């Protein structure tokens, strides 16, 4: 029973669509580059011209197999592609090539950690299948709102049509929004770790549909409604909670739930009817006559299995043993930055120090600049150098952030030491250089110096501030404080 549903139990299954980061589309040689001019990456195959024949993308099959193995699934020795028929406004040939009764991967599982009452609890979500298909084009809704609701016309961009797509379908094992969110985050982290997709929700390279129903505890499964194309982990949790409460209200008022597809309105925080839900028979699946069965030998499966890297759960355990806080480890993994951390540690930095930089300042600056970590040229050696410069007093924390920003903006061409030297950002820690500035500050502020001698410890703060201003923030604050104390006390009497 779900407490906030007052006598009802929530049942959720997720369908997660992952766009693969292949160079070309699933059935043709068109590029898959995101953000190109509309309808420039289109050919006779992906635009559905008569007589055009599809050819499977070998890399896409490999990557689908890799993800299936990472999720503990079984790889089918023989599988086939089907045509899924119904009107797609953004799929020119009016059917989608997908997999129906014999998908590539079946019966996997995903363990996720969920925080309950201050403790981490492990939940297991079964995965029914992972099948291969092609993505559709993109509908651009034109009007004041930029959304389907309120648009006065739509345009179609077919660049995305035919991009390799994997659909990961869970069993209805999820009983609360938090587990659903943890599942999506973990799957996203696995996909990025494998390198099969950048899994950017904001670009649509990973999208999530939620099948939501409610029931009395012990009763049969209720009628489900599907919420389409949720584009953030936060939206997923909000949409599930709203839809569950909506269904409970309908049932408590004596109504019946209608199986339908619903749209999540992020601004209003509600789901709305999009269309009545199709059934399997509506799709009129049949084997695609242009594609033969695909076979996968056990030797081929084992060759792909040998490529599996360390998965996020194992990486989190390793980082925890190295002293990295759980939240920072999660951010590093979600951002695809584990390789950077490991390279920095190999270069001599401590794991907690590097994780702190990656999860904090690096993530923050990437978000502010709206760039991917791969585009910055940042390396593990850069991070190790930055940490070392802070540790040995060459850089203050403020200076280090400025240096990091310059390294990121410069594409990693220059490392932290070169950037700091070129911009005059090294901290002044030399006693002789600091001493001369301190003597001038103490001589110019006799009253503050006298207050310190009289036991007013706070009075030294103003003097430290003046030294920092005189050195343009380059003085080492700790050493400045020590030398000020010495200079003031030496002048006593």
């Amino acid at each position: 029973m779900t407490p906030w549903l007052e006598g009802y139990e929530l049942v959720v299954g997720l369908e997660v669509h992952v766009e693969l980061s292949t160079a070309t589309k699933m059935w043709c040689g068109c590029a898959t580059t995101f953000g190109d001019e509309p309808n420039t990456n289109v050919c006779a195959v992906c635009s559905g011209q008569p007589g055009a024949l599809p050819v499977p993308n070998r890399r896409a099959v490999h990557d689908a197999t890799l993800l299936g193995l990472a999720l503990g699934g079984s790889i089918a020795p023989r599988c086939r592609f089907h045509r899924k028929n119904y009107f797609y406004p953004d799929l020119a040939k009016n059917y989608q090539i997908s997999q129906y009764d014999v998908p590539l991967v079946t019966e996997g599982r995903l363990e996720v950690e969920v925080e309950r009452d201050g403790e981490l609890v492990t939940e297991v979500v079964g995965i029914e299948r992972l099948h291969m298909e092609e993505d559709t084009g993109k509908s651009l809704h034109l009007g004041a709102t930029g959304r389907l609701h309120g648009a006065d016309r739509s345009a179609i961009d077919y660049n995305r049509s035919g991009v390799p797509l994997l659909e990961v379908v869970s069993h209805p094992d999820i009983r609360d929004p938090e587990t659903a969110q943890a599942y999506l985050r973990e799957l996203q982290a696995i996909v990025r770790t494998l390198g099969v997709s950048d899994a950017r929700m904001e670009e649509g390279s990973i999208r999530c549909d939620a099948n939501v129903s409610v029931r009395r505890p012990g009763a049969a499964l209720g009628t489900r409604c599907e919420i389409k194309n949720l584009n953030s982990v936060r939206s997923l949790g909000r949409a599930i909670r709203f839809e569950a409460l909506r269904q409970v209200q309908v049932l408590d008022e004596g109504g019946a739930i209608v199986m339908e597809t619903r749209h999540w309105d992020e601004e209003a925080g509600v789901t709305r009817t999009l269309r009545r839900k199709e059934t399997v028979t509506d799709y009129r699946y049949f084997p695609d006559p242009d594609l033969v069965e695909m076979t996968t030998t056990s030797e081929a499966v084992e060759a792909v299995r040998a490529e599996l890297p360390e998965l996020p759960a194992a990486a989190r355990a390793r980082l925890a043993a190295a002293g990295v806080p759980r939240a920072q480890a999660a951010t590093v993994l979600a951002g695809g930055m584990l390789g950077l951390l490991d390279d920095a540690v190999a270069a001599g930095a401590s794991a907690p120090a590097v994780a702190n930089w990656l999860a904090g300042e690096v993530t923050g600056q990437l978000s502010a600049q709206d760039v991917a970590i791969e585009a910055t040229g940042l390396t593990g050696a850069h991070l190790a150098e930055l940490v070392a410069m802070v540790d040995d007093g060459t850089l203050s924390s403020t200076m280090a952030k400025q240096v990091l920003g310059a390294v990121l903006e410069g594409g990693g061409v220059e490392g932290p030491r070169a950037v700091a030297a070129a911009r005059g950002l090294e901290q002044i820690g030399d006693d002789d250089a600091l001493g001369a500035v301190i003597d001038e500050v103490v001589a110019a502020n006799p009253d503050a110096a006298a207050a310190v001698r009289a036991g007013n410890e706070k009075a030294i703060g103003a003097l430290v501030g003046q030294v920092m201003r005189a050195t343009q923030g380059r003085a080492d604050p700790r050493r400045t404080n020590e030398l000020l104390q010495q200079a003031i006390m030496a002048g006593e009497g």
Side-chain angles (χ1 to χ4, degrees):
M1 188 169 64
T2 308
W4 50 273
L5 288 181
E6 298 180 354
Y8 287 88
E9 181 182 46
L10 173 66
V11 179
V12 177
L14 298 182
E15 299 173 7
V16 179
H17 299 80
V18 180
E19 271 191 5
L20 296 178
S21 298
T22 54
T24 57
K25 293 184 180 181
M26 186 66 206
W27 314 114
C28 66
C30 289
T32 58
T33 312
F34 177 82
D36 283 353
E37 286 295 312
N39 297 312
T40 54
N41 298 329
V42 180
C43 70
V45 175
C46 53
S47 63
Q49 301 302 311
L53 295 175
V55 178
N57 184 320
R58 183 185 296 272
R59 184 69 199 183
V61 176
H62 169 277
D63 289 353
T65 304
L66 188 66
L67 180 56
L69 292 173
L71 297 174
S74 299
I75 310 300
R78 300 177 72 88
C79 63
R80 63 176 69 93
F81 291 99
H82 283 70
R83 291 187 180 182
K84 183 180 181 182
N85 297 272
Y86 73 92
F87 177 68
Y88 283 89
D90 45 12
L91 196 57
K93 57 182 177 283
N94 210 25
Y95 63 83
Q96 181 188 40
I97 301 177
S98 183
Q99 293 186 306
Y100 173 44
D101 57 342
V102 188
L104 178 66
V105 182
T106 55
E107 295 306 328
R109 69 198 299 265
L110 187 57
E111 292 187 1
V112 300
E113 293 181 338
V114 184
E115 187 170 331
R116 303 193 198 286
D117 300 324
E119 294 185 3
L120 285 180
V121 177
T122 299
E123 299 282 1
V124 178
V125 180
I127 294 173
E128 178 186 335
R129 57 189 281 147
L130 181 154
H131 63 260
M132 305 183 66
E133 56 190 25
E134 60 183 335
D135 210 343
T136 64
K138 183 178 181 181
S139 296
L140 306 173
H141 305 296
L142 307 176
T145 65
R147 298 174 177 270
L148 177 61
H149 296 281
D152 51 31
R153 65 195 186 281
S154 294
I156 307 295
D157 176 8
Y158 285 113
N159 279 352
R160 197 176 68 185
S161 179
V163 169
L165 194 67
L166 303 182
E167 182 171 347
V168 183
V169 182
S170 82
H171 285 292
D173 294 341
I174 297 170
R175 296 292 178 267
D176 56 67
E178 293 75 23
T179 300
Q181 291 174 306
Y183 173 94
L184 181 56
R185 279 193 295 263
E186 187 73 359
L187 183 55
Q188 188 177 36
I190 290 173
V191 165
R192 285 176 171 164
T193 297
L194 298 177
V196 300
S197 173
D198 59 21
R200 284 173 162 261
M201 297 197 79
E202 67 275 15
E203 293 183 1
S205 54
I206 186 168
R207 308 189 290 277
C208 184
D209 302 339
N211 291 292
V212 179
S213 66
V214 296
R215 64 178 177 182
R216 294 292 185 182
L221 290 175
T223 301
R224 63 186 171 88
C225 292
E226 182 182 29
I227 310 171
K228 293 292 288 185
N229 290 338
L230 297 161
N231 60 7
S232 74
V233 173
R234 179 173 178 268
S235 293
L236 174 63
R238 294 180 66 209
I240 289 173
R241 182 176 287 267
F242 173 85
E243 179 59 21
L245 291 170
R246 183 194 72 83
Q247 292 184 20
V248 166
Q249 182 177 1
V250 170
L251 294 174
D252 283 348
E253 292 175 354
I257 303 301
V258 177
M259 188 165 71
E260 61 184 0
T261 299
R262 298 181 68 86
H263 165 73
W264 170 246
D265 186 326
E266 178 70 30
E267 187 173 333
V270 300
T271 63
R272 305 183 192 278
T273 298
L274 189 61
R275 61 177 180 265
R276 287 296 172 92
K277 179 67 178 170
E278 297 84 359
T279 63
V280 169
T281 54
D282 293 324
Y283 295 129
R284 294 176 290 118
Y285 282 102
F286 63 86
D288 193 302
D290 293 333
L291 292 163
V292 299
E293 280 192 339
M294 186 169 64
T295 60
T296 306
T297 66
S298 58
E299 292 79 10
V301 171
E302 292 311 309
V304 175
R305 193 190 305 276
E307 299 177 24
L308 283 172
E310 179 186 42
L311 295 177
R316 281 195 300 272
R318 175 168 64 84
L319 293 178
V324 176
R326 174 176 170 269
Q328 291 186 355
T331 301
V332 168
L333 289 166
M337 298 183 286
L338 180 61
L340 282 175
L341 188 150
D342 287 339
D343 289 347
V345 171
S350 75
V354 177
N356 185 54
W357 275 98
L358 286 171
E361 194 62 27
V362 172
T363 297
Q365 292 201 28
L366 292 177
S367 178
Q369 298 172 24
D370 192 26
V371 296
I373 186 70
E374 297 82 9
T376 65
L378 184 69
T379 68
H382 290 152
L383 288 166
E385 193 169 89
L386 188 69
V387 169
M389 293 176 75
V390 173
D391 287 346
D392 66 17
T394 302
L395 293 177
S396 67
S397 60
T398 299
M399 290 174 176
K401 292 175 183 179
Q402 295 177 41
V403 168
L404 173 65
V407 172
L408 295 176
E409 291 171 8
V413 175
E414 291 185 315
R417 289 196 185 279
V419 167
R423 302 195 178 195
L425 292 174
E426 300 103 324
Q427 204 163 233
I428 300 173
D430 179 73
D431 284 3
D432 291 338
L434 275 178
V437 176
I438 285 170
D439 288 343
E440 291 179 5
V441 169
V442 170
N445 296 271
D447 291 344
V452 174
R453 293 189 195 101
N456 185 351
E457 296 181 1
K458 292 183 179 180
I460 202 169
L463 299 177
V464 171
Q466 291 203 36
V467 173
M468 297 302 290
R469 282 192 291 275
T471 59
Q472 297 181 319
R474 294 175 59 201
D476 180 341
R478 179 186 57 80
R479 189 57 182 153
T480 295
N481 197 301
E482 293 173 354
L483 293 174
L484 271 169
Q485 293 276 6
Q486 293 173 15
I488 291 170
M489 294 309 171
E492 185 175 7

